């Protein structure tokens, strides 16, 4: 109910700004500057007990029962990936040894994860999200941020968008998601966790500071277990404790992240929602202390780079058809030379042949090379991996 009320406030604000910006009189700019700053609208979506809910959906015999997805409790090393809410009542949690989980909840059923099924559901969730937003940042299979400042479907309020997304997930996938709605990523994420399962929580700008003050310090973004322990040791338990420290003191105590803590405890988080970009190329490069002046020296370095590239391609399970070598010279000019092959490759032998062929033809005589790079592009679409992996890309 509180969430709905807050939602109306938000819609109200939206309509005032809209009205003012559509007025055609000279005072318009002045009036606009009187309105509160235009905030971003961020939604964080997180599926409830994701793996377990998919299992309960697909196997009716698991419904309403304590279900644990993960390694079996017999034998060593089995851990809980997740547990149904029925099992959580007994204290079962993700990452707990399965043996412990069984002790806490002897009647629980254990099942192995079915990653392909979860991946397929995740794809369907993203298809739904894309109906409502273009700027989407997936965090994992079951979690994503959306920037809905641009209201793709002209729905009018971020809260209403979140409601529709939840409903679509329920209707089309028979699963529940929890959503948090706010003006930045951090608050939206905290909000999505507040009323799980099937939650919908809106935290508007006016409530943020008070909300941060009561938050336990380990909940703050960037505060891991170690930092939390250090904070507690100096008497910092909640946001309001943290807020009492001036910025320079936080930096003195915690180094550079202190600056971030200072802002986040005041609800300031300017991190952008970073949409997934399809990986177009994978490359590696090195800058050299001393310029390379002979083809032999360049080849020696290119061979090393080729090994690194092959390793990286194989780790990402990607193969490409176009090999590119980048040369940066002493005067900072850059040239690239490419070769396209009939086949997709990612093995070091074939890559090395292509790289050597490119080097042999490259105009590098009497040149001083300060940086070399090797990259692969032109991936077969079905081989391209999704995800937000930060790869070392250079423009080819
Ligand atoms: N997961 C895992 N190991 C962990 C944590 C999670 O394998 N230590 C997997 C199983 C989860 C999925 O990732 O189902 C999503 O993780 P969440 O943290 O979002 O947890 P759930 O979706 O299971 O539950 P919640 O309702 O708390 O979001
Ligand atoms: Mg989840």
């Amino acid at each position: 109910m509180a969430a709905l009320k807050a939602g109306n406030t938000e819609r109200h604000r939206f309509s005032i700004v809209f009205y003012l910006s559509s007025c055609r009189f000279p005072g318009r700019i002045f009036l606009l500057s009187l309105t509160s700053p235009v905030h971003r609208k961020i939604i964080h979506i997180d599926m409830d007990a994701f793996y377990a809910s998919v299992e309960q959906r697909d196997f009716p015999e698991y419904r309403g029962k304590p279900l644990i997805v993960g390694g079996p409790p017999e034998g060593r090393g089995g851990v809980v990936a997740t547990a149904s809410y029925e099992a959580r009542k007994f204290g079962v949690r993700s990452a707990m040894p399965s043996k412990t989980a069984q002790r806490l909840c002897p009647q629980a059923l254990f099942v192995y994860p079915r990653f392909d099924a979860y991946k397929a559901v995740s794809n369907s969730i993203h298809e739904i999200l894309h109906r409502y937003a273009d700027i989407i940042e997936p965090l994992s299979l079951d979690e994503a941020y959306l920037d809905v400042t641009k209201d793709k479907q002209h729905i009018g309020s971020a809260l209403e968008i979140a409601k529709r997304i939840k409903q679509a997930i329920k209707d089309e996938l028979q699963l529940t998601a929890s959503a948090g709605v706010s003006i930045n990523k951090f608050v939206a994420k905290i909000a999505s966790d507040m009323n799980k399962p099937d939650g919908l929580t809106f935290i508007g700008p006016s409530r943020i500071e008070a909300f941060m003050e009561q938050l336990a310090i380990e909940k703050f973004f960037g505060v891991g277990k170690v930092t939390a322990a250090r904070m507690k040791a100096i008497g910092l338990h909640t946001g309001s404790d943290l807020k009492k420290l001036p910025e320079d003191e936080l930096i003195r105590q915690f180094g550079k992240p202190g600056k971030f803590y200072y802002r986040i405890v005041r609800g300031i988080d300017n991190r952008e929602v970073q949409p997934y970009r399809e990986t177009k190329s994978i490359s590696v490069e090195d800058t050299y202390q001393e310029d390379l002046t002979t083809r032999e020296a360049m080849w020696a370095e290119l061979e090393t780079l080729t090994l690194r590239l092959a390793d990286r391609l194989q780790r990402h399970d990607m193969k490409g058809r176009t090999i590119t070598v980048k040369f940066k010279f002493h005067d900072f000019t850059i040239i690239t030379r490419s070769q396209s092959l009939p086949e997709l490759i990612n093995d070091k032998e074939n890559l090395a042949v292509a790289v050597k062929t490119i080097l042999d033809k490259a105009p590098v005589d009497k040149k001083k090379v300060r940086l070399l790079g090797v990259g692969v592009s032109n991936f077969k679409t079905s081989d391209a991996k999704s995800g937000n992996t930060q790869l070392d890309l250079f423009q080819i």
Side-chain angles (χ1 to χ4, degrees):
M1 199 56 209
L4 287 179
K5 254 197 192 132
N8 288 339
T9 316
E10 186 206 28
R11 205 164 9 218
H12 195 59
R13 184 197 313 280
F14 181 81
S15 55
I16 294 171
V17 174
F18 178 75
Y19 168 73
L20 289 173
S21 59
S22 42
C23 291
R24 289 168 182 264
F25 59 88
R28 175 179 155 198
I29 293 169
F30 172 69
L31 272 172
L32 263 179
S33 68
L34 278 182
T35 60
S36 55
V38 179
H39 293 293
R40 290 185 297 159
K41 298 180 179 191
I42 311 293
I43 298 175
H44 179 257
I45 294 275
D46 188 326
M47 301 298 290
D48 302 320
F50 185 49
Y51 293 3
S53 304
V54 175
E55 296 304 327
Q56 288 180 322
R57 179 194 74 172
D58 294 350
F59 300 95
E61 62 270 31
Y62 299 153
R63 290 183 199 162
K65 303 227 168 88
L67 179 74
I68 292 172
V69 182
E74 303 82 28
R76 287 157 48 113
V79 289
V80 175
T82 197
S84 68
Y85 276 79
E86 293 85 351
R88 291 185 194 194
K89 284 187 203 140
F90 296 85
V92 179
R93 296 286 179 269
S94 291
M96 177 181 272
S98 298
K99 264 192 165 42
T100 314
Q102 193 183 40
R103 192 163 38 75
L104 290 170
C105 183
Q107 67 274 45
L109 300 164
F110 280 80
V111 294
Y112 281 106
R114 291 181 303 135
F115 296 108
D116 289 349
Y118 314 143
K119 178 74 190 147
V121 174
S122 181
N123 289 342
S124 305
I125 295 167
H126 282 277
E127 193 271 310
I128 292 173
L129 300 182
H130 273 284
R131 291 179 209 157
Y132 296 92
D134 291 325
I135 306 176
I136 298 173
E137 178 179 339
L139 295 176
S140 66
L141 284 185
D142 87 323
E143 210 184 325
Y145 288 113
L146 288 77
D147 185 328
V148 295
T149 315
K150 178 173 169 280
D151 184 356
K152 194 171 176 179
Q153 289 209 26
H154 310 288
I155 290 168
S157 105
L159 187 70
E160 183 60 30
I161 296 172
K163 227 188 252 176
R164 294 202 196 175
I165 289 171
K166 276 167 55 73
Q167 195 60 46
I169 291 174
K170 209 173 272 178
D171 293 345
E172 297 171 36
L173 304 174
Q174 292 77 50
L175 292 168
T176 62
S178 293
V181 182
S182 192
I183 58 168
N184 65 43
K185 284 165 81 166
F186 175 59
V187 184
K189 186 169 165 92
I190 293 280
S192 76
D193 204 38
M194 281 173 60
N195 291 304
K196 265 183 169 290
D198 205 9
L200 174 60
T201 311
F202 172 77
I203 301 178
S206 59
R207 284 174 57 209
I208 288 182
E209 285 234 16
F211 180 75
M212 291 296 149
E213 282 176 11
Q214 53 78 45
L215 205 61
I217 47 116
E218 52 265 51
K219 293 257 180 182
F220 281 94
F221 180 77
V223 178
K225 270 192 188 141
V226 176
T227 310
R230 279 181 55 206
M231 286 185 169
K232 285 182 182 168
I234 56 167
L236 307 177
H237 299 278
T238 62
S240 85
D241 298 332
L242 199 58
K243 211 171 165 181
K244 287 185 191 124
L245 295 192
E247 189 175 13
D248 53 359
E249 175 64 13
L250 281 169
I251 294 170
R252 204 180 61 75
Q253 292 273 2
F254 303 104
K256 226 172 161 191
K259 213 178 168 113
F260 185 74
Y261 302 147
Y262 182 83
R263 294 167 65 80
I264 204 97
V265 75
R266 285 162 179 78
I268 303 167
D269 174 14
N270 295 326
R271 289 173 302 144
E272 299 282 327
V273 175
Q274 303 209 315
Y276 150 71
R277 290 195 310 267
E278 195 179 345
T279 306
K280 291 266 185 355
S281 69
I282 293 186
S283 62
V284 293
E285 57 181 44
D286 256 341
T287 304
Y288 305 104
Q289 294 277 352
E290 287 183 17
D291 292 339
L292 309 172
T293 53
T294 65
R295 287 182 185 271
E296 291 69 37
M298 291 175 212
W299 174 236
E301 296 300 341
L302 284 171
E303 260 192 309
T304 312
L305 287 173
T306 303
L307 288 179
R308 266 170 53 199
L309 179 64
D311 178 59
R312 189 173 288 198
L313 286 164
Q314 285 160 21
R315 265 190 290 126
H316 291 279
D317 192 20
M318 292 177 86
K319 289 182 177 183
R321 262 187 353 102
T322 303
I323 322 304
T324 300
V325 179
K326 172 162 104 168
F327 303 87
K328 187 178 196 177
F329 300 114
H330 187 74
D331 62 0
F332 287 88
T333 54
I334 293 172
I335 63 163
T336 59
R337 291 293 182 270
S338 301
Q339 187 184 35
S340 287
L341 306 169
E343 281 177 333
L344 294 158
I345 61 165
N346 69 0
D347 61 293
K348 59 180 190 296
E349 291 79 14
N350 277 316
L351 285 169
V353 171
V355 170
K356 184 73 167 61
T357 310
I358 294 170
L359 173 65
D360 288 346
K361 291 189 199 158
V364 291
D365 285 329
K366 301 202 182 73
K367 292 279 196 183
K368 293 177 178 175
V369 171
R370 67 189 323 265
L371 174 150
L372 286 170
V374 186
V376 167
S377 58
N378 220 341
F379 302 118
K380 200 173 109 204
T381 334
S382 59
D383 278 349
K385 289 281 170 208
S386 62
N388 248 9
T389 328
Q390 278 293 317
L391 301 173
D392 176 18
L393 302 178
F394 63 71
Q395 288 300 312
I396 288 180

